[in-house]
Amino acid sequence: MRYPPLQAPLFWQTCLCFWIGGIAAAVWPHQTLLCFFLLFLADKRLWKAAPLAFCALLALAGLLTAQWQLYGSPWRHGFSEPERPPWLTQAGKKVRVCGTVTDSQGLPDQRLRLLLADLAPEGDGHLEQARGGSTAAPAPVQLAASSPSPAPAPSPASSQSAAQNTPLSGQTALTWEHPPLHPLPGQILCLSLRPMPMQGFANKGQAAWELWWASQGVYWRMWTQDRRAEPRLHGEPGRSGRWREALREDFLAALVAPRLAPLADKAASPAPPTSPAHSDAAPKSSAHSPPPGAEDMPQGKAILLALLFGDRQYLDQATLNNFIAATLVHSLALSGQHLVIAGMLGLACVLTLARLRPGIYLHRPRTLWVILASLPPALAYLWLGNAPASLLRATVMLFVVALWLTMGRPRTTLDALCAALLCITVAAPLNVFDTGLQLSALCVGAIGLSLPWLRELMPGFDGAPTSGARARLAQWSRALLRIFLVSLCIQVVLLPLNMLLFGNAGFWFPLNVAWLPVADLFVLPASVLGLACAALGMETAARLVLDLAALPCQWLVDLLAWLAANDLLLAPSMLRPHWTALPAFAALLTALAFKAGRPTLPPAAQRLLLAGGLLLLVGPMLRLAERLSPEIHLDVLDVGQSQAVALRLPGHMRLLLDGGGSASPRFDPGQNIVAPVLLYNDGPRLAAVLNSHPDLDHMGGLVHILRQFTVSAFFDNGRDSGDARGGWAAIWAQTRRQYGAQPLAQGDVLQLGNPAHGLQLEILHPPRTDRNTPGAGTAARETWDGNNASLVARLTLYGQGLALIPGDAERRSLRHMIDQGLDLRAQVLVLPHHGSDSSYLPDLYEAVQPEVAVAACGFENRYGYPGKKVREWLDKAGIPLLFTGRDGQISLSWTSAPGRAKRKNEAARTTLHLQTQRPQHENPAPDEQAEE
């Protein structure tokens, strides 16, 4: 049977591309314009004025709609901090707030992420009104019976209080570690926390974290642990959430092995005390807590909970990381591939009905009956999985296919995908920015583009089935080969996106061939059967079925853990392509897809092929320009409450001074921020890595950099780490030995690149006598330690100071350098110790004479950095202050002059150029800085 080749898109599908592109242009204007240009090249219908004008109007409508929903106005572009109500501005470190739960999602390592709407101070009357007359009061007080007497008129004071205590705009995301409760949508949660604006890390070449949240209407965030925030729960959840939670609790109880206590202990044990989280709260039936033993659940069983409910609460982060490294994490996300269970249930229903009523095939073909019968199970799975965007896309596609087949108008996979995207983006335009929907749509698009080539390579696959064991074996072999080829096509299509977003090329994708059939044809159906048994009260049968379903999951977990332990899952760091590689790949692969089944390439595909090839040259040309550039670049990266400084010098010499760090076991700034920034359109190579001192917030991220990058030299201050958190002292000691750390001290000078460029890095501290040499006594070695042993580096150009980078040096070490009469002058001062007042020293600022001061600190950090004294002095001196928590990555550059000698006493100074990742702000007044 001969299949037609891939056809050109219909005009409504081209219009859909312009509508979606207009929405995307609210965030990515240049990328969208380039994609529009490729569409213009490929579709000759756009070469006429009327169709082009219509598509341009659609794009404009999408742009205005997205800007209105994202930024609050169709004429406004760019994020701004949400307005703080008076009660939040006047609040201290914590404030008692209440909000209505709108969504609950389980995260790895026993965490919950809750979305709270109408967050306001506890007991606020305006909050009750905003909730539309909820029967539950936000404050834990006794409600009086209703009285026929009229309510007293509000006083002016109460009206003013209600106006001041208005709820926060948008929703608030609460991350809750080890929650004692499981709040459900519709309930009211009260906590003692301070909301913070949703602001993530802003670095070049990385997606804006707050963008993803803003697309969901979330503008604030909070974090807590256990009962630390004194949580109280009020009210009853909605009916849908209550039913879903009941099924989840039954399923969870069947997963957890029962713990049998001795009979004597049961008789003697008193009734458990009321939890503080339950007191004065909702009835016991609505306060959902995890069952005993759930925290020790085997990872194989935790996967079942993730597959069925989308709940990853009992998965370990290490397990999830292994799935990511093996390119299997998509199998844990609820998406179209898991709708196989709906198809299996639909097929079973149709076959059963056909036994009773064989005549149904006379009215409609079996394929249509199966699809129609699959719709209710698909809707049930969508409800059970809490409707993620990827599963919603698959369900809408299923409905579209059913409608078309009912009307007798069969369509292709790409047609169904476009129809589903049209429905989703019209109903919720900001879903365009959902990463799950993007990857899901690209995977389906890759399948649609690969089908013509699969039919060319495997022409007999779709023929009539034959009988016999050998024929069945051949069919299974072809099915597995097709899964492999489809997975290969998906990996090729997603290669630039995976490398750009995740830094993973997906070398382990062949594991999909073995795992996906098992997951979709055995694990998921067995999980549904176990859920049905648990819901019907058949606990023994449910445990037996779920234990069998968890076996292959546990085998896979153990296999991945073994591969990770032997460093076989660790993918090598590689260049993250420039963003132009994404439309280039799309143009090239679309052109190749149009070749399948045709003797020659159509003209539109030829134009796409040429445009895609030219776009692929953009990244290499930009890298070549950087290598030939005479500019000196210093980038202070936005790594939260830590510090990382990158240098890029003429001749493409790159250095890294500190790599950030975090005490969180799930977040490594070196791996998640520093490495992606350094790899954006560049390779994993560094001329040198310097660690100012072995504090976790400066050296933690360097471990990943040293493991994954080719580093020519590694320097530090010669000290071992005293940070015992998470075993970092032992990790750093091993890292220093493994990579041959060379200690530096005052008087050392690093020649940076060609001496003709005149670039040097002078080490001004700690003193050389403090180095661990055989002749030094114990007292001399211990003179400088901790922050005061930080390497202080000064970047110079022909002796002229460009930047002073003093690490975490405090007053004692800073005063020591000043008293020695060292030349500290520099155009840029990276403030010592993140701008802390503990390093405040006016004499230092006068000695440096900076044109700009930069602080590496987190957004609204609890330490109040930059300190009040530092900000006041710089403000009086007229020295601009930038800090990464507010401004994002701070990029400073100078133009060098190779071969032109400069003297230290020369008055002329090299011109400094400044750029921030976020729009620059005026220096805030000291009392405007939130000190937490």
Side-chain angles (χ1 to χ4, degrees), residues 879-904:
I879 300 175
L881 170 62
L882 303 173
F883 50 95
T884 54
R886 182 194 64 190
D887 304 303
Q889 175 181 332
I890 301 169
S891 300
L892 307 114
S893 62
W894 302 264
T895 302
S896 65
R900 189 176 67 193
K902 285 182 176 284
R903 299 179 180 178
K904 292 185 179 181

Side-chain angles (χ1 to χ4, degrees), residues 47-131:
W47 296 3
K48 298 180 179 179
L52 180 61
F54 181 73
C55 290
L57 287 176
L58 281 177
L60 180 61
L63 173 64
L64 297 179
T65 301
Q67 292 191 157
W68 173 55
Q69 295 191 9
L70 274 177
Y71 312 130
S73 170
W75 320 113
R76 183 177 179 181
H77 185 79
F79 289 103
S80 61
E81 184 176 311
E83 183 179 355
R84 300 171 188 250
W87 61 265
L88 182 58
T89 305
Q90 301 166 5
K93 294 183 178 181
K94 291 184 179 180
V95 58
R96 191 71 181 173
V97 292
C98 296
T100 304
V101 180
T102 59
D103 186 59
S104 175
Q105 180 183 5
L107 301 180
D109 288 348
Q110 300 176 40
R111 295 177 297 152
L112 275 180
R113 176 174 289 158
L114 304 176
L115 297 186
L116 304 176
D118 300 326
L119 195 73
E122 186 177 28
D124 178 36
H126 183 273
L127 179 60
E128 297 178 14
Q129 183 180 358
R131 290 179 182 133

Side-chain angles (χ1 to χ4, degrees), residues 858-872:
F859 175 68
E860 291 198 4
N861 58 88
R862 58 178 177 171
Y863 309 104
Y865 297 160
K868 182 179 180 179
K869 295 180 180 178
V870 175
R871 287 183 279 112
E872 287 179 345

Side-chain angles (χ1 to χ4, degrees), residues 72-236:
S73 170
W75 320 113
R76 183 177 179 181
H77 185 79
F79 289 103
S80 61
E81 184 176 311
E83 183 179 355
R84 300 171 188 250
W87 61 265
L88 182 58
T89 305
Q90 301 166 5
K93 294 183 178 181
K94 291 184 179 180
V95 58
R96 191 71 181 173
V97 292
C98 296
T100 304
V101 180
T102 59
D103 186 59
S104 175
Q105 180 183 5
L107 301 180
D109 288 348
Q110 300 176 40
R111 295 177 297 152
L112 275 180
R113 176 174 289 158
L114 304 176
L115 297 186
L116 304 176
D118 300 326
L119 195 73
E122 186 177 28
D124 178 36
H126 183 273
L127 179 60
E128 297 178 14
Q129 183 180 358
R131 290 179 182 133
S134 173
T135 58
V141 296
Q142 183 70 31
L143 295 179
S146 59
S147 173
S149 58
S155 63
S158 62
S159 300
Q160 183 178 2
S161 175
Q164 291 180 349
N165 294 341
T166 55
L168 294 180
S169 59
Q171 299 190 89
T172 303
L174 168 66
T175 302
W176 197 350
E177 293 196 15
H178 304 286
L181 302 174
H182 195 281
L184 302 180
Q187 292 185 294
I188 299 173
L189 180 65
C190 296
L191 311 100
S192 296
L193 289 173
R194 180 186 174 90
M196 295 176 60
M198 183 66 72
Q199 180 165 307
F201 306 104
N203 294 284
K204 184 179 179 181
Q206 288 189 302
W209 186 49
E210 55 264 35
L211 164 66
W212 188 83
W213 285 109
S215 65
Q216 302 182 58
V218 178
Y219 301 101
W220 304 89
R221 61 184 172 94
M222 299 187 295
W223 177 91
T224 188
Q225 190 176 32
D226 297 322
R227 294 183 173 89
R228 186 177 298 177
E230 304 173 2
R232 292 178 184 268
L233 202 56
H234 309 268
E236 290 288 341

Side-chain angles (χ1 to χ4, degrees), residues 320-558:
L320 187 62
N321 291 341
N322 291 341
F323 270 76
I324 293 173
T327 64
L328 294 175
V329 70
H330 64 91
S331 65
L332 300 181
L334 303 189
S335 59
Q337 64 185 9
H338 298 323
L339 282 188
V340 171
I341 182 62
M344 294 174 66
L345 292 175
L347 178 62
C349 293
V350 171
L351 292 179
T352 302
L353 183 60
R355 289 276 185 176
L356 302 175
R357 300 281 302 271
I360 62 173
Y361 293 148
L362 298 177
H363 301 281
R364 299 288 182 183
R366 185 172 65 177
T367 302
L368 178 58
W369 283 117
V370 171
I371 292 178
L372 292 176
S374 302
L375 296 179
L379 287 176
Y381 190 31
L382 183 67
W383 168 76
L384 200 64
N386 209 18
S390 54
L391 189 58
L392 177 64
R393 185 272 312 160
T395 305
V396 175
M397 282 185 65
L398 189 62
F399 270 84
V400 169
V401 171
L403 177 63
W404 281 341
L405 289 179
T406 303
M407 298 172 60
R409 298 179 180 179
R411 293 288 190 270
T412 65
T413 304
L414 295 178
D415 292 335
L417 173 63
C418 290
L421 291 179
L422 176 62
C423 297
I424 292 173
T425 56
V426 169
L430 295 187
N431 273 336
V432 168
F433 303 107
D434 189 288
T435 307
L437 180 62
Q438 294 170 5
L439 294 176
S440 176
L442 286 174
C443 287
V444 177
I447 294 173
L449 293 177
S450 65
L451 285 178
W453 280 110
L454 289 178
R455 290 162 181 158
E456 289 283 325
L457 298 174
M458 305 171 64
F461 179 74
D462 292 314
T466 57
S467 59
R470 182 174 297 179
R472 286 194 294 271
L473 179 61
Q475 288 179 354
W476 276 103
S477 300
R478 283 178 171 271
L480 292 177
L481 178 59
R482 190 178 189 183
I483 293 175
F484 172 79
L485 292 177
V486 169
S487 299
L488 177 61
C489 292
I490 291 175
Q491 290 300 320
V492 171
V493 171
L494 296 183
L495 179 62
L497 187 63
N498 281 333
M499 293 176 63
L500 182 62
L501 296 181
F502 311 113
N504 190 352
F507 297 115
W508 283 97
F509 76 90
L511 288 175
N512 287 278
V513 179
W515 169 241
L516 290 183
V518 175
D520 293 335
L521 300 180
F522 174 71
V523 174
L524 196 54
S527 301
V528 173
L529 179 60
L531 174 63
C533 293
L536 295 174
M538 304 165 58
E539 295 184 5
T540 303
R543 287 196 174 94
L544 178 61
V545 172
L546 294 179
D547 285 345
L548 291 176
L551 276 179
C553 301
Q554 191 62 50
W555 293 340
L556 178 63
V557 169
D558 294 340

Side-chain angles (χ1 to χ4, degrees), residues 767-829:
R768 179 172 297 277
T769 55
D770 192 35
R771 182 181 293 176
N772 295 336
T773 56
T778 302
R781 287 197 301 269
E782 294 180 353
T783 300
W784 304 99
D785 56 8
N787 289 342
N788 280 316
S790 295
L791 288 178
V792 177
R794 180 171 178 255
L795 177 66
T796 64
L797 174 64
Y798 300 111
Q800 175 187 332
L802 300 183
L804 184 69
I805 310 170
D808 275 356
E810 296 183 350
R811 289 193 188 97
R812 179 169 168 244
S813 51
L814 299 174
R815 172 61 63 187
H816 181 268
M817 291 187 296
I818 294 172
D819 291 343
Q820 283 186 302
L822 299 178
D823 187 0
L824 302 178
R825 291 175 296 174
Q827 291 178 272
V828 176
L829 171 62

